[in-house]
Amino acid sequence: MGIFDWKHWVVILIVVVLVFGTKRLKNLGSDVGEAIKGFKKAMNTEEDEKKDAPAAPAQPLNQPHTIDAQAQKVEEPARKD
């Protein structure tokens, strides 16, 4: 007999039903179901968009590249001490 005994869970369930009522629990269950369905739908549409989008040619990470720039000397203004 521990805290996870089935008798304890039955008592907890009865208390929850008495406090919230069956109608509110039913609405809560349907809201959670709708949220899960919406999440799954959003995930599926995101995967479909990735499949439809053309893949950009990727450069290998180990390929060397150069930066085209010109170095310029910056003269600092003379200090007045």
Side-chain angles (χ1 to χ4, degrees):
M1 185 125 172
I3 192 155
F4 295 113
D5 190 28
W6 67 272
K7 295 174 189 174
H8 291 131
W9 289 110
V10 169
V11 171
I12 291 171
L13 180 64
I14 291 171
V15 169
V16 168
V17 169
L18 288 175
V19 170
F20 293 108
T22 57
K23 188 171 185 177
R24 193 180 283 178
L25 290 176
K26 181 178 154 186
N27 290 340
L28 178 67
S30 63
D31 290 344
V32 170
E34 291 287 327
I36 291 172
K37 285 180 186 177
F39 178 75
K40 286 182 180 179
K41 183 178 179 183
M43 292 299 292
N44 288 336
T45 56
E46 183 177 302
E47 290 175 1
D48 292 341
E49 289 174 0
K50 287 182 181 178
K51 289 178 184 176
D52 293 341
Q59 293 182 345
L61 295 176
N62 59 356
Q63 186 172 355
H65 60 280
T66 58
I67 299 174
D68 188 19
Q70 183 177 3
Q72 296 178 350
K73 183 178 180 181
V74 177
E75 294 184 21
E76 296 181 15
R79 294 177 127 186
K80 296 180 183 179
D81 288 325

